[in-house]
Amino acid sequence: MDSGEVGRKGEAVAAKYYLDRGYQLLAHNYHTRRGELDLILQRQEQIVICEVKTRAGRQLGVPAEAVTPAKQKRILLAAKQFLQENLLLDAFIRFDVVEITRFETGWRVHCIPNAFCDRENPY
């Protein structure tokens, strides 16, 4: 499985993780000029913007380490655009990072709720 396939499978595993917990998937791979959002989900009045980081084993370190401050800024800008376009600026917004690690025996999911926030424009 190449890295693109691993990433797509990881996003599918993360989406299932949320769907199994009662979330509705609003968008997957939402693209803007400002950045991309892997998963956008909703449960009741809460919107979750989820960045998925997938690794095949631990050879590249902890997946969440790849969500740098620069990456967070791009996610925040893309989220703002999505929320404006979909009239969701009044919703409670949470930014999660989900680490998906592939092992020979299956996939491990580690969700980090509220992994970061928009300190300049809290939702």
Side-chain angles (χ1 to χ4, degrees), residues 27-41:
H28 178 239
N29 289 331
Y30 172 82
H31 290 274
T32 73
R33 291 184 311 166
R34 297 174 171 183
E36 176 192 348
L37 304 175
D38 292 336
L39 301 173
I40 305 166
L41 307 114

Side-chain angles (χ1 to χ4, degrees), residues 4 6 9 13 18 20 25-26 31 33-34 43-44 49 52 54 61 68 75 80 88 93-94 98-99 110 113 121:
V6 170
K9 179 61 177 173
V13 169
Y18 282 101
D20 288 348
L25 183 63
L26 299 180
H31 290 274
R33 291 184 311 166
R34 297 174 171 183
R43 185 170 66 183
Q44 298 171 359
I49 309 293
V52 180
T54 307
T68 63
I75 292 168
K80 187 172 191 174
L88 293 169
I93 311 303
R94 188 177 85 204
V98 173
E99 298 177 321
H110 178 237
N121 299 302

Side-chain angles (χ1 to χ4, degrees), residues 17-18 62-64 94-99 110-116:
Y17 170 87
Y18 282 101
V62 178
R94 188 177 85 204
F95 294 91
D96 292 359
V97 172
V98 173
E99 298 177 321
H110 178 237
C111 180
I112 306 168
N114 292 307
F116 60 93

Side-chain angles (χ1 to χ4, degrees), residues 39-80:
L39 301 173
I40 305 166
L41 307 114
Q42 182 173 10
R43 185 170 66 183
Q44 298 171 359
E45 299 300 317
Q46 183 177 60
I47 304 293
V48 174
I49 309 293
C50 177
E51 176 67 12
V52 180
K53 290 298 175 192
T54 307
R55 299 289 183 266
R58 289 281 189 189
Q59 73 273 15
L60 297 174
V62 178
E65 291 174 348
V67 186
T68 63
K71 177 70 173 172
Q72 290 175 22
K73 184 174 182 176
R74 288 191 302 274
I75 292 168
L76 294 167
L77 291 170
K80 187 172 191 174

